[in-house]
């Protein structure tokens, strides 16, 4: 049960955005810029970063919803998302994306956990400075989103299947229409 009075029909961050539209706008714009804006990383890759960080933070709503978007956007679908959740090194993604996921997971622990070695490993796999920057910012932003969603105990359906339609909608429409 949420800690504050939220629309019971809206799960996760959607309920929080409805509760405080004036904060929803900048938060939605940030998600749109990070996950959908022009970038050399695909939407699916960026959504996977968000989903892996959110899973590491044990945020059911964010990991499930962004996992669903990543699954809809990536060729290997939900299998790649599940694999990345279990073990980044065994996920069927590029070596560059694996290196970026390790940076994102380090950010999840602490900004200071991002080491020169992690950055150099990503560069060795072809990651650009912009990709490294955006990975760190996606991970940091999703730590905030995760704590926002869970800190107010929003409703989160437990079954991954409940997020499929939401993932397809977010992939098609983006984050400005929430």
């Amino acid at each position: 049960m949420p800690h504050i009075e939220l629309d019971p029909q809206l799960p996760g961050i959607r309920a929080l955005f409805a509760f405080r539209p004036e904060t929803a706008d900048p938060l939605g714009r940030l998600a749109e810029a990070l996950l959908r804006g022009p970038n050399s990383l695909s939407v699916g890759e960026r959504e996977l970063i968000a989903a892996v960080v959110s899973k590491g933070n044990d945020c059911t709503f964010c990991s499930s919803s962004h996992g669903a978007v990543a699954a809809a956007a990536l060729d290997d679908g939900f299998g790649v998302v599940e694999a990345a959740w279990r073990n980044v090194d065994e996920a069927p993604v590029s070596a560059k994306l694996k290196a970026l996921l390790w940076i994102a997971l380090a950010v999840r622990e602490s900004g200071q956990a991002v080491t020169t070695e992690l950055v150099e490993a990503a560069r060795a796999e072809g990651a650009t400075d912009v990709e490294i920057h955006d990975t760190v910012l996606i991970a940091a932003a999703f730590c905030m989103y995760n704590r926002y969603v869970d800190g107010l105990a929003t409703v989160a359906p437990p079954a991954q299947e409940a997020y499929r339609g939401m993932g397809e909608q977010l992939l098609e429409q983006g984050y400005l229409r929430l």
Side-chain angles (χ1 to χ4, degrees):
M1 171 164 254
H3 296 311
I4 61 176
E5 191 172 327
L6 299 172
D7 183 338
Q9 301 302 311
L10 297 174
I13 204 163
R14 290 179 176 209
L16 299 172
F17 281 6
F19 182 79
R20 291 276 290 172
E22 58 276 26
T23 59
D25 180 60
L27 291 173
R29 287 183 187 283
L30 177 60
E32 183 75 13
L34 292 174
L35 301 175
R36 313 248 326 159
N39 201 296
S40 54
L41 295 173
S42 73
V43 169
E45 290 170 325
R46 289 177 281 160
E47 289 283 354
L48 185 62
I49 292 167
V52 167
V53 167
S54 298
K55 187 70 160 184
N57 284 330
D58 200 28
C59 183
T60 299
F61 178 80
C62 294
S63 63
S64 297
S65 60
H66 293 282
V69 182
L74 294 170
D75 289 338
D76 293 329
F78 196 66
V80 70
V81 174
E82 287 183 310
W85 282 344
R86 278 192 312 272
N87 185 332
V88 167
D89 287 329
E90 293 179 10
V93 297
S94 70
K96 177 175 83 172
L97 185 54
K98 287 177 187 179
L100 292 171
L101 286 167
W102 282 117
I103 289 173
L105 288 170
V107 170
R108 189 190 68 73
E109 291 176 29
S110 161
Q112 294 175 348
V114 179
T115 63
T116 300
E117 291 79 16
L118 286 171
V119 171
E120 290 305 319
R123 282 191 178 122
E125 296 299 343
T128 67
D129 284 352
V130 171
E131 291 168 339
I132 293 165
H133 170 278
D134 290 358
T135 296
V136 170
L137 186 52
I138 290 167
F142 273 85
C143 287
M144 175 193 61
Y145 289 126
N146 300 159
R147 282 151 182 78
Y148 182 39
V149 166
D150 286 344
L152 289 167
T154 64
V155 173
Q160 183 62 44
E161 186 59 35
Y163 297 88
R164 179 179 292 178
M166 185 185 309
E168 291 168 358
Q169 178 186 21
L170 286 170
L171 180 60
E172 182 181 314
Q173 297 178 3
Y175 294 92
L176 298 180
R177 297 183 61 156
L178 288 178

